[in-house]
Amino acid sequence: GQKEARVSFANQGIYNGTLAVVMLLSLILLHGIDQLITLRLLTGFVTVVGLYGGATVSKKIYFVQAIPGALTCLTLFF
């Protein structure tokens, strides 16, 4: 019910916050190709987890996480 949905979205918030910190640290600490590869992997991971969450928890996750993650990941290849 609603309690499970609240817990799920809280967990997603913690996950996204942690990932944002890791991405920021990679921007600060890494340089060149290492930075690019790390950001590509992280945004790819965000996309995959968003697709899984959208399929198993809520379709809203597609719009909140999977699509923005995929677009960000794609831009890192250009």
Side-chain angles (χ1 to χ4, degrees), residues 20-57:
V21 169
V22 171
M23 291 177 108
L24 261 167
L25 286 174
S26 71
L27 285 171
I28 295 168
L29 300 175
L30 298 175
H31 303 286
I33 194 69
D34 292 335
Q35 184 183 63
L36 184 60
I37 290 170
T38 301
L39 291 174
R40 285 176 178 169
L41 287 171
L42 289 171
T43 57
F45 179 69
V46 168
T47 303
V48 170
V49 172
L51 291 171
Y52 179 77
T56 60
V57 178

Side-chain angles (χ1 to χ4, degrees), residues 8-25:
S8 176
F9 284 118
N11 287 339
Q12 182 184 355
I14 292 168
Y15 158 81
N16 286 338
T18 303
L19 190 62
V21 169
V22 171
M23 291 177 108
L24 261 167
L25 286 174

